[in-house]
């Protein structure tokens, strides 16, 4: 049977059978967003939605994560499907009837959708046990938006038996119902730095008696622009963004210290490892040239989200079979955004897939991010098909 024949009708079947349930769960989660590892209520909702299914359930993974296991008929491999559950500290401005009821918190990255799509896939796959030659593990993960819940989940060993793994992310800017992926890097490594620039404080009218930390910080920000433009191979993507700068307490005082914060994005591990030394060298030499110094605190955070070639090919085949060629996109370029599914992909061959919610949708992490929920059963069908395809041999 071709992939197309195997998944004929699956999209409609999931929409008709599970669409309402998936949308209701999404709205329920959307109303009550939770941050970081504190996804207690969300996990409760997931557990309630999975009740009665023939799943082995493990709770309390990474504090409020849930891992559900479905044993199929055969004794083939284990395939993993992962969704993130956490929201963002953003005040929602969508005006939706099911908008966030928690002040200052919002599901602005679609994780409410990811979670309910995975619950939908669990329902669909439980009804197809006889077609599964192996096991499906469903990972409901907290703390994707900082905190590295994926890292902790992998470290806890709950994915040790997983042979391949997939995850979806709803994606504004991509045509509605089009799914996209690629082999190799799909999302960047995201690292963070904080820098303290030190000089000597004093009276604003007597700069010669001081070493001005604000002037140093300004020069450092400018000098850091030459890192990507002059030190990195022009065909190698890299981003250095200073997103925070702070100093001073009054208009007529030269402060002793200034603070910078930034993010560094790379796709190449060697380049990634070189960045702290380069940033520190530029910052310290600029500051020292102005009679001060700079101290760098660098944190390697999320690694590159690296799709394994075979898994990416499987995913593209499944997308073609399910959505048709016109809704299949093999990406030419990765995004410089980051994703902590990367920690799973460091250990397990798999693929991260973007699912388009349309070009006219506000981007992720904005207070007006909202999408057409028709996409949710489609995402459930895609996750279902990925598991079926991985366990069909
Ligand atoms: Ni996200």
């Amino acid at each position: 049977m071709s992939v197309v024949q195997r998944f004929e009708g699956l999209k409609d079947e999931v929409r008709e059978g599970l669409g309402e349930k998936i949308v209701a769960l999404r709205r329920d989660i959307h109303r009550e967003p939770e941050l970081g590892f504190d996804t207690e209520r969300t996990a409760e909702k997931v557990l309630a939605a999975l009740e009665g299914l023939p799943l082995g359930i493990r709770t309390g993974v990474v504090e409020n994560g849930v891992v559900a296991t479905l044993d199929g008929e055969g004794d083939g491999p284990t395939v993993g499907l992962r969704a993130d559950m956490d929201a963002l500290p953003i005040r929602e401005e969508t005006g939706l009837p099911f908008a966030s009821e928690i002040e200052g918190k919002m599901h602005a990255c679609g994780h409410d959708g990811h979670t309910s799509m995975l619950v939908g896939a669990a329902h669909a796959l439980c009804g197809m046990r006889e077609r599964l030659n192996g096991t499906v593990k469903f990972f409901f993960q907290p703390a994707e938006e900082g905190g590295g819940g994926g890292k902790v989940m992998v470290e806890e060993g709950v994915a040790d038996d997983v042979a391949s793994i997939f995850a979806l992310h709803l994606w504004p800017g991509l045509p509605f119902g089009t799914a996209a992926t690629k082999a190799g890097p799909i999302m960047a490594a995201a690292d963070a730095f904080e820098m303290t620039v030190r000089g000597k404080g004093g009276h604003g009218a007597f700069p010669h008696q001081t070493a001005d930390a604000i002037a140093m910080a300004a020069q450092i920000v400018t000098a850091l622009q030459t890192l990507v433009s002059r030190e990195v191979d022009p065909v190698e993507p890299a981003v250095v963004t200073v997103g925070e700068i702070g100093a001073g307490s009054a208009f007529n005082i030269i402060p002793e210290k200034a603070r910078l914060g930034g993010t560094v994005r790379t796709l190449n591990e060697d380049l990634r490892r070189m960045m702290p030394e380069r940033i520190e060298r530029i910052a310290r030499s600029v500051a020292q040239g102005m009679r001060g110094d700079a101290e760098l605190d660098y944190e390697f955070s999320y690694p590159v989200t690296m799709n394994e070639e075979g898994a990416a090919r499987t995913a593209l085949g499944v997308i073609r079979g399910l959505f048709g060629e016109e809704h299949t996109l093999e990406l030419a370029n990765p995004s410089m955004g980051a994703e902590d599914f990367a920690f799973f992909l460091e250990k397990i061959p798999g693929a991260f897939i973007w699912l388009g919610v349309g070009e006219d949708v506000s981007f992720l992490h904005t207070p007006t991010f909202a999408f057409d929920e028709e996409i949710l059963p489609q995402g459930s069908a895609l996750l279902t098909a990925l598991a079926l395809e991985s366990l069909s041999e």
Side-chain angles (χ1 to χ4, degrees):
M1 246 195 316
S2 76
V3 178
V4 177
Q5 286 167 322
R6 261 203 303 281
F7 301 133
E8 180 104 68
L10 178 63
K11 216 168 70 171
D12 295 339
E13 206 180 298
V14 171
R15 192 184 62 223
E16 279 153 32
L18 297 164
E20 266 177 51
K21 187 180 180 71
I22 297 167
V23 168
L25 175 62
R26 185 260 163 160
R27 292 183 178 192
D28 193 14
I29 295 173
H30 192 87
R31 272 192 204 98
E32 202 179 347
E34 296 177 296
L35 305 185
F37 289 98
D38 301 328
T39 54
E40 197 179 338
R41 292 277 303 137
T42 309
E44 282 171 18
K45 289 169 191 175
V46 166
L47 290 171
L50 296 175
E51 211 170 292
L53 294 178
L55 297 166
I57 300 277
R58 195 169 150 185
T59 57
V61 183
V62 193
E63 297 180 42
N64 291 302
V66 175
V67 180
T69 306
L70 169 62
D71 289 317
E73 289 292 308
D75 51 6
T78 298
V79 61
L81 301 171
R82 170 277 203 179
D84 38 15
M85 298 195 289
D86 56 323
L88 285 159
I90 292 179
R91 195 176 159 275
E92 180 159 353
E93 292 170 18
T94 61
L96 288 166
F98 53 89
S100 171
E101 289 167 6
I102 312 232
E103 183 61 32
K105 295 183 190 176
M106 175 192 176
H107 270 288
C109 199
H111 299 187
D112 51 341
H114 305 163
T115 299
S116 40
M117 289 191 288
L118 189 56
V119 167
H123 276 267
L125 285 161
C126 283
M128 303 173 184
R129 269 178 107 169
E130 73 292 342
R131 286 171 68 182
L132 300 173
N133 174 31
T135 301
V136 188
K137 262 188 156 176
F138 304 89
F139 297 95
F140 296 92
Q141 180 217 299
E144 193 285 320
E145 304 285 0
K151 180 172 197 267
V152 186
M153 210 168 227
V154 170
E155 283 169 357
E156 284 195 12
V158 288
D160 282 357
D161 55 347
V162 175
S164 62
I165 190 159
F166 299 92
L168 301 184
H169 206 297
L170 295 173
W171 208 263
L174 197 62
F176 187 87
T178 288
T181 190
K182 69 186 281 294
I186 184 165
M187 307 283 289
D191 302 320
F193 67 85
E194 278 195 5
M195 193 186 293
T196 307
V197 181
R198 269 178 229 286
K200 182 171 175 258
H203 197 297
F206 306 94
H208 57 293
Q209 296 172 359
T210 75
D212 186 345
I214 287 185
M216 289 175 215
Q219 294 283 349
I220 289 170
V221 173
T222 307
L224 284 177
Q225 307 309 311
T226 65
L227 209 170
V228 172
S229 72
R230 304 288 89 182
E231 290 197 37
V232 175
D233 184 337
V235 297
E236 182 67 58
V239 177
V240 177
T241 290
V242 177
E244 291 174 280
I245 180 162
S249 56
F251 76 100
N252 56 358
I253 300 171
I254 291 173
E256 180 200 348
K257 278 193 294 190
R259 201 192 133 269
L260 304 178
T263 182
V264 178
R265 308 295 171 111
T266 49
L267 296 173
N268 172 318
E269 190 63 22
D270 290 337
L271 176 62
R272 182 185 185 209
R273 297 284 153 185
M274 279 183 232
M275 290 307 239
E277 180 276 315
R278 292 176 170 200
I279 290 171
E280 188 175 36
R281 170 173 42 76
I282 291 173
R284 293 197 69 190
S285 39
V286 168
Q288 284 169 359
M290 299 171 74
R291 295 176 291 131
D293 207 347
E295 198 180 291
L296 182 70
D297 190 1
Y298 202 92
E299 191 202 344
F300 287 108
S301 184
Y302 293 180
V304 175
T305 304
M306 190 66 81
N307 285 346
E308 193 259 344
E309 205 179 325
R313 222 177 306 121
T314 300
L316 285 164
V318 167
I319 296 163
R320 263 183 209 108
L322 195 63
F323 297 155
E325 187 64 49
E326 70 279 17
H327 287 120
T328 306
L329 178 66
E330 183 165 4
L331 293 165
N333 295 310
S335 152
M336 296 309 276
E339 164 62 51
D340 91 340
F341 186 55
F343 290 108
F344 286 92
L345 294 182
E346 277 189 326
K347 282 265 167 83
I348 307 160
F352 189 61
I353 300 160
W354 302 346
L355 182 57
V357 292
E359 281 119 324
D360 52 354
V361 168
S362 298
F363 203 68
L364 306 171
H365 294 212
T366 62
T368 50
F369 171 68
F371 56 86
D372 182 345
E373 291 167 316
E374 272 291 308
I375 200 66
L376 298 176
Q378 294 198 33
S380 291
L382 178 52
L383 291 164
T384 302
L386 287 163
L388 283 172
E389 181 68 7
S390 304
L391 300 179
S392 66
E393 275 87 76

